[in-house]
Amino acid sequence: MGSPDGGWYDDTPPRIVSTTPQDRSVNVNEQKVTILFDEYIKVEDVTNKVVVSPPQLEMPEIRASGKKIIVELKDSLKPNTTYTIDFSDAISDNNEGNPMGNYTYTFSTGEQIDTFEVAGTVLNAEDLEPVKGILVGLYDDLSDSVFKTKPLSRVSRTDSRGRFVVKGMAPGTYRAYALQDADGDYQFSQMSEAIAFSHQTFEPSSKPDIRQDTVWRDTLHIDNIIRVPYTHYYPDDIVLLSFLHPQTERYLTKVERTEPDNFKVFFTYGHPQLPVVRGLNFDSSDAFIVEHSAQRDTITYWLRDTTLVNRDTLNVEMSYMMTDTTGVLISHTDTLEILAKTPYERRQRDLQREIEKWQKEQDKKKKRDQPYDSIYPVKPLQPVWNVPNDMDPDRNLSVSFPKPLARLDTAAIHLYTKVDSLWYDVPYEFSPKDSIPRTYELRAEWRPGLEYSLEVDSAAFADIYGLVSDAKKQGFKVRSLDAYSTLFVQLSGITIDSTVVVQLLDKSSNVKKRVRAADGAAEFFYVMPGQYYLSAFVDANGNDRWDTGDYEADRQPEDVYFYPEVIECKAKWDVTERWNLTATPRNRQKPAAITKQKADKEKKLRNRNKERAEQLGIEYEPR
């Protein structure tokens, strides 16, 4: 016994029966388009997949109704203009989900249809990742201010590979832009919108061309290669590099006091002049130790006095630089009430419970005639040491502290090395690490293959609240040179000078090493064996970091390049690579293995009837 199988599957995609107005009609003045299919259909993700060009300031209504797709344009039609409704791969049949494939409906309000197309790719300027879903638009107005004053004239949207195709173009000279449109006005109106711009102009054109389509007999054998004529539209290799503007509006975002001994102040971006804080319910003279992030956008105020630490509410007057309504930085003063996240009474109760728990444990030890303590121990200062068991010769040791230090004694820090079974003192330097608060670095001349011992006496460090550190002893070894590879990269393609920073990346795109080019080369020493990738950027302003662009200043982001191949480094090997930074087009440089934005799986018809016929052992004849 069994269920009826229902016959053959429906493996055919929807087919268009008619359109109203007819596809590619001219002199159209209707704002409603109806597309009739031979079966029930559905339209997926209309907002992101369906693009109407020229762009519609009022969102068109697009809906599926039975066997129809109905599009109602809300904006008035422009005269002598070609309109395209690009459905991409949004259309499929309702029951089996068979995709129709890319489909574009076209009509014109004038006497002719404009048929030119241009194509290209949008990449993130910082890491050359394909940008999915960003608008790409064209202007035939070549003035510099048009991007901020007029909506884009024709638009498309990038797919998961960052690719775009703008259709229905008339002959002329154009510029291309990209816009992550936040407010739907199709022009650059907010600094928070990602954009791409280029002064390169182009004129669309076309010519007859031939492509080869491969017909497979099965997964291993080719049945035939068919040469198919088609119209090739140019340019098809536009590359736009998108970026976000640096934040230029400075304002206070929040003040928080998650721990009772400090509070943090957060700004949208930093300023050389730190805020001036005056206590209203306490004496603020010499009350703080002030720390700030490298960008000075986050400032931490540590409270020196424990009486202030135990106060639940701090009322302060804070003066800082803020952007006014005209975009000018001015001095502004706020009165703030800063509350501790955990009230003092609750902290005391928690401490009392902890003491009582400790006392019970000591009483049990006393009854069992075991050693016990009669005084509640004070918790020591607990520095966090970064001392690996196996260290690279070009690395250093570091230690970070949870609270600011009141005292450190470098004489209590001892470093020894073992040579021929004897231990010798090693000279070292111990100093704060740049731009990282409460972090110190221990630097020495590390010799490959030798053993070392770090020994720190008790009370070597004391914080501002009186806590002192315990003694510490840890041994470690510096790897021998036989454990490493050396990579030499010869650079060309652009002017190679010290502004070019080359980075060695692992499989997760983490930067393992970075060097500045010198004499046309980048040299990486002490490279652990493994597979690596290379990226580079031109540090034009010499600040040792990648900088974004600025549309108002007509400044592009700093150039970024990727070496398109994987590099295999082996122990004891010297590897030399030659890298022409511009030999490979920018949209094909980043290796797929480290590209995070993967292409969506292409919708394809699944010939389940053929699969079923093979299972049944019968010959399949397509309908």
Side-chain angles (χ1 to χ4, degrees):
M1 295 178 62
S3 305
D5 57 21
W8 296 105
Y9 292 104
D10 175 13
D11 276 343
T12 58
R15 184 174 58 85
I16 296 174
V17 176
S18 64
T19 59
T20 307
Q22 188 174 348
D23 195 3
R24 305 184 68 79
S25 295
V26 296
N27 297 318
V28 174
N29 55 18
E30 300 178 32
Q31 294 179 247
K32 181 177 180 180
V33 175
T34 303
I35 306 172
L36 178 63
F37 296 84
D38 63 346
E39 60 180 312
Y40 291 100
I41 52 90
K42 58 184 177 183
V43 184
E44 300 175 348
D45 199 6
V46 170
T47 303
N48 295 317
K49 289 191 174 183
V50 183
V51 178
V52 179
S53 192
Q56 305 293 292
L57 296 180
E58 186 174 354
M59 186 66 65
E61 182 180 345
I62 303 173
R63 65 184 188 274
S65 177
K67 298 181 179 181
K68 297 179 181 179
I69 292 178
I70 300 171
V71 180
E72 294 188 32
L73 304 180
K74 304 297 183 180
D75 288 359
S76 299
L77 298 180
K78 299 177 181 180
N80 300 316
T81 301
T82 296
Y83 280 77
T84 58
I85 306 173
D86 188 352
F87 290 91
S88 185
D89 61 351
I91 302 173
S92 59
D93 66 30
N94 191 59
N95 294 326
E96 300 293 345
N98 295 311
M100 178 182 176
N102 293 335
Y103 171 62
T104 301
Y105 173 87
T106 308
F107 69 88
S108 175
T109 58
E111 296 289 341
Q112 64 181 19
I113 296 285
D114 297 322
T115 59
F116 284 130
E117 301 176 4
V118 298
T121 308
V122 180
L123 304 175
N124 187 322
E126 185 174 6
D127 54 14
L128 301 192
E129 281 284 317
V131 181
K132 178 182 178 180
I134 193 171
L135 280 176
V136 179
L138 308 177
Y139 287 112
D140 54 7
D141 183 343
L142 304 183
S143 62
D144 292 336
S145 62
V146 65
F147 196 23
K148 301 192 74 172
T149 56
K150 294 181 182 179
L152 296 163
S153 59
R154 300 205 69 81
V155 294
S156 179
R157 196 181 296 275
T158 57
D159 61 15
S160 59
R161 300 169 298 165
R163 290 284 298 172
F164 67 87
V165 180
V166 182
K167 302 178 180 180
M169 293 178 58
T173 303
Y174 295 87
R175 281 180 179 167
Y177 297 78
L179 172 66
Q180 199 76 57
D181 196 13
D183 50 11
D185 62 355
Y186 294 94
Q187 63 188 43
F188 179 38
S189 57
Q190 298 184 26
M191 298 297 285
S192 60
E193 295 174 327
I195 66 165
F197 71 98
S198 171
H199 292 306
Q200 182 180 1
T201 61
F202 57 86
E203 297 180 2
S205 61
S206 65
K207 70 173 185 179
D209 208 340
I210 299 291
R211 66 166 174 257
Q212 293 183 343
D213 285 355
T214 303
V215 180
W216 292 86
R217 183 182 308 163
D218 50 42
T219 56
L220 298 177
H221 302 89
I222 296 175
D223 188 56
N224 195 9
I225 296 178
I226 304 174
R227 294 170 58 84
V228 181
Y230 75 105
T231 302
H232 196 153
Y233 294 97
Y234 296 93
D236 61 354
D237 56 355
I238 299 170
V239 176
L240 295 174
L241 300 174
S242 76
F243 63 91
L244 280 169
H245 273 77
Q247 177 64 255
T248 57
E249 294 185 358
R250 187 174 197 258
Y251 54 87
L252 178 66
T253 58
K254 66 177 179 178
V255 178
E256 66 179 18
R257 188 183 174 193
T258 55
E259 297 293 334
D261 52 13
N262 71 86
F263 62 89
K264 290 182 172 63
V265 181
F266 298 87
F267 292 91
T268 51
Y269 75 97
H271 191 272
Q273 180 180 328
L274 296 178
V276 177
V277 177
R278 184 174 69 87
L280 299 179
N281 62 345
F282 64 95
D283 182 7
S284 59
S285 57
D286 199 31
F288 308 119
I289 292 179
V290 182
E291 296 176 348
H292 59 78
S293 62
Q295 291 77 29
R296 292 178 175 253
D297 55 358
T298 303
I299 302 100
T300 304
Y301 294 85
W302 291 92
L303 305 174
R304 293 178 182 270
D305 193 343
T306 54
T307 59
L308 292 182
V309 174
N310 294 331
R311 183 174 293 186
D312 289 341
T313 304
L314 300 176
N315 294 323
V316 301
E317 181 183 86
M318 182 180 295
S319 300
Y320 57 91
M321 301 302 292
M322 184 189 78
T323 307
D324 65 8
T325 54
T326 63
V328 178
L329 278 173
I330 61 170
S331 180
H332 177 77
T333 302
D334 276 338
T335 300
L336 305 171
E337 185 180 62
I338 305 173
L339 303 177
K341 184 177 181 180
T342 306
Y344 174 73
E345 291 185 359
R346 180 177 171 183
R347 298 199 303 272
Q348 289 299 105
R349 288 196 302 268
D350 292 343
L351 178 59
Q352 185 61 36
R353 291 192 191 99
E354 189 175 333
I355 293 174
E356 291 173 356
K357 182 179 179 181
W358 173 85
Q359 186 62 56
K360 290 178 180 179
E361 292 176 354
Q362 301 309 309
D363 290 342
K364 290 179 181 179
K365 291 180 180 180
K366 185 177 180 180
K367 290 178 181 179
R368 298 170 184 169
D369 291 331
Q370 296 177 346
Y372 67 95
D373 294 324
S374 58
I375 300 175
Y376 184 72
V378 177
K379 291 183 178 179
L381 175 65
Q382 296 179 329
V384 179
W385 286 91
N386 181 14
V387 183
N389 292 327
D390 294 296
M391 198 175 77
D392 298 328
D394 58 346
R395 301 294 183 184
N396 290 303
L397 309 183
S398 64
V399 57
S400 58
F401 297 90
K403 315 286 183 183
L405 292 183
R407 176 182 57 82
L408 67 86
D409 183 7
T410 55
I413 304 174
H414 312 281
L415 183 64
Y416 305 102
T417 185
K418 187 178 182 180
V419 180
D420 296 331
S421 74
L422 297 177
W423 290 94
Y424 297 90
D425 286 321
V426 177
Y428 66 86
E429 293 181 356
F430 189 82
S431 59
K433 199 167 184 179
D434 291 341
S435 306
I436 306 178
R438 305 185 310 282
T439 300
Y440 295 79
E441 195 169 44
L442 189 151
R443 295 181 294 275
E445 184 179 351
W446 310 108
R447 297 176 62 184
L450 294 187
E451 293 182 33
Y452 289 81
S453 177
L454 174 67
E455 300 179 15
V456 183
D457 299 339
S458 61
F461 309 104
D463 70 13
I464 60 175
Y465 304 116
L467 298 181
V468 296
S469 60
D470 287 337
K472 177 182 178 62
K473 181 177 180 179
Q474 182 174 344
F476 60 96
K477 185 176 181 179
V478 177
R479 294 186 180 94
S480 68
L481 295 179
D482 289 345
Y484 298 101
S485 176
T486 303
L487 174 62
F488 302 100
V489 184
Q490 299 293 328
L491 303 170
S492 62
I494 62 172
T495 301
I496 305 298
D497 54 24
S498 61
T499 64
V500 178
V501 177
V502 185
Q503 301 180 134
L504 189 66
L505 311 177
D506 64 12
K507 296 178 182 179
S508 300
S509 296
N510 299 316
V511 178
K512 306 305 291 183
K513 293 179 181 292
R514 61 185 293 172
V515 298
R516 284 188 175 271
D519 298 327
E523 299 178 346
F524 296 93
F525 298 99
Y526 308 120
V527 178
M528 291 298 297
Q531 291 186 335
Y532 293 94
Y533 301 87
L534 287 173
S535 72
F537 68 93
V538 179
D539 185 22
N541 58 8
N543 65 355
D544 204 35
R545 67 173 185 265
W546 178 86
D547 289 295
T548 187
D550 190 322
Y551 180 74
E552 293 291 347
D554 193 22
R555 185 177 67 245
Q556 292 286 343
E558 290 179 333
D559 285 327
V560 173
Y561 304 93
F562 275 81
Y563 185 62
E565 304 293 336
V566 64
I567 297 173
E568 183 76 31
C569 291
K570 298 180 180 180
K572 303 182 184 181
W573 281 45
D574 290 345
V575 181
T576 301
E577 296 286 344
R578 298 185 182 277
W579 182 13
N580 184 327
L581 299 176
T582 57
T584 303
R586 202 80 65 96
N587 60 317
R588 297 207 302 269
Q589 286 188 4
K590 191 167 187 178
I594 58 173
T595 300
K596 295 181 175 63
Q597 173 56 53
K598 303 298 183 183
D600 291 342
K601 188 175 181 180
E602 185 180 354
K603 291 184 176 180
K604 293 183 178 180
L605 287 172
R606 179 185 172 189
N607 198 337
R608 289 179 295 176
N609 289 327
K610 184 177 181 180
E611 295 172 3
R612 187 176 175 198
E614 291 174 353
Q615 293 173 356
L616 296 174
I618 61 176
E619 185 176 352
Y620 170 68
E621 295 183 3
R623 290 182 292 172

